[in-house]
Amino acid sequence: MTGPISLDLAWQRLLNYATPLASERIPADECCGRYLADDVIAQRSQPSHDLSAMDGYAVSGDEPWSVVGESRAGLPYGASLKSREAVLISTGAHCPAGTDAILIKENAVLDGDMVRSSETPSPGRHIRRQGFDFEYGQTVLSKGIAIGPAQIAVARSAGHRSLSVGRQPTVAIIECGDELVADPQNCPPDRLPASNGAMLAAMAEGCGARIIRIGPVSDEADKLAEAFGNAAAADLVVTSGGASVGDHDLVRPVLLELGAEIDFWKVAIRPGKPLLLARRGAQVILGLPGNPVSSYVTAFLFLLPLIRQMQAANSPLPHAHFLPIATAIEPGGERREFLRGKFGEKGIIPITERDSSALASLSHADVLIDRAIDAPAAKAGMAVPCYIL
């Protein structure tokens, strides 16, 4: 029996295991939550012309100015401005050639067809120059980034109707355990409502995966083998429960019987030590612990990075933020520990409950506090690495 490996080594081996899937081109409007498979190159400059940043007057030369027309958004003034000429202009409208500045409406003093300024505008004031946002041919979005609403807007502004994105992996979730009941409203006292499958499905779907739910599956080798068979079409199979060393923990022996190659099955973290990574042909298999907090934490640390990596994300691993803690934390132990914490007025408040079955405390958590092996005690006010949930 080999000992547990470090989290950093497990992450390295995890990412080496996951091969990015093929890309596909879909409408840009449908890309939220996906990952770019190629750089996005601007097909136009933004803005394509000098624009006014304010309502007022586009002016040329010194005052007073003679008002000779109007430039509206989408309906530009059709001539160049001569010295001492002005046009009424709206925000986002084209600045006529010859515009020196924008006299904002609040500073304009009208006298018939003439306009003066109560505050002389500086040259170039309130003008959005052509291409100031981005130029034609510029890379506006880089391969591997997550696409959100702002990225969709940039892509469309850059002239793209569709984008190339990583294919969404199909993830089969197998929930294991004799004690589990599918219907929480009809659960006898000696059983437990199945909850990990729903939790993991929500996490994976939120990261861009397509979900297949299987189970609960009883702790019988033939039933578990049948479940793996039903998951044959998935890119990634995730099991919850059955990955430890007990007599009824059958995931590892069944996988070996099915010809899978086990990469590792213990990681030096708390919660979540019993964790398995395997491959069966092109399919990646991740075995998570059955205790719900352990299942959640290991899914956050391993399942979600796997899904991102399969979509060719350039930063698949979670990113730690250093945040101050509101109360002291004792020294770390022999395993890297992830404590639940919640936001408070004076910083992150560590949640005292650390039992790996305590779902209520997990539901209150905003962050996971990362405590290194043998970490020194942390005083109130110290910044510690945290993963925002």
Side-chain angles (χ1 to χ4, degrees), residues 335-350:
R335 281 188 276 163
R336 189 166 171 176
E337 188 168 9
F338 292 88
L339 309 178
R340 285 150 268 180
K342 57 185 178 181
F343 295 128
E345 291 184 1
K346 295 183 179 180
I348 301 300
I349 303 170

Side-chain angles (χ1 to χ4, degrees), residues 201-226:
M203 295 175 75
E205 195 168 32
C207 198
R210 300 180 184 274
I211 307 301
I212 300 171
R213 291 278 300 277
I214 300 173
V217 177
S218 61
D219 293 320
E220 301 172 67
D222 59 337
K223 298 294 185 184
L224 185 55
E226 180 183 354

Side-chain angles (χ1 to χ4, degrees), residues 6-8 11 268-270 320 322 329-339 354 368-378 383-387:
S6 71
L7 175 60
D8 289 332
W11 269 341
I269 58 174
R270 177 183 288 117
F322 280 79
I329 302 176
E330 64 268 25
E334 61 184 10
R335 281 188 276 163
R336 189 166 171 176
E337 188 168 9
F338 292 88
L339 309 178
R354 298 187 184 180
L368 294 176
I369 303 169
D370 187 354
R371 299 292 287 153
I373 294 172
D374 296 327
V384 297
C386 297
Y387 295 98

Side-chain angles (χ1 to χ4, degrees), residues 125-255:
R125 183 73 168 163
H126 304 306
I127 297 176
R128 296 171 179 156
R129 294 298 184 189
Q130 177 182 355
F132 95 89
D133 197 0
F134 53 79
E135 295 275 7
Y136 173 85
Q138 180 181 336
T139 299
V140 291
L141 298 171
S142 298
K143 174 181 178 180
I145 67 165
I147 305 170
Q151 288 73 31
I152 291 173
V154 167
R156 288 184 62 90
S157 295
H160 291 270
R161 186 170 55 191
S162 62
L163 296 173
S164 180
V165 295
R167 180 172 69 80
Q168 292 175 293
T170 299
V171 177
I173 298 171
I174 303 175
E175 202 167 4
C176 307
D178 286 333
E179 74 280 15
L180 300 179
V181 176
D183 184 355
Q185 289 186 309
N186 293 289
C187 182
D190 59 341
R191 308 284 288 278
L192 288 172
S195 60
N196 284 1
M199 176 180 71
L200 296 174
M203 295 175 75
E205 195 168 32
C207 198
R210 300 180 184 274
I211 307 301
I212 300 171
R213 291 278 300 277
I214 300 173
V217 177
S218 61
D219 293 320
E220 301 172 67
D222 59 337
K223 298 294 185 184
L224 185 55
E226 180 183 354
F228 279 115
N230 292 334
D235 302 298
L236 169 61
V237 177
V238 183
T239 63
S240 172
S244 192
V245 295
D247 293 340
H248 302 289
D249 291 309
L250 301 176
V251 170
R252 184 168 175 266
V254 167
L255 283 175

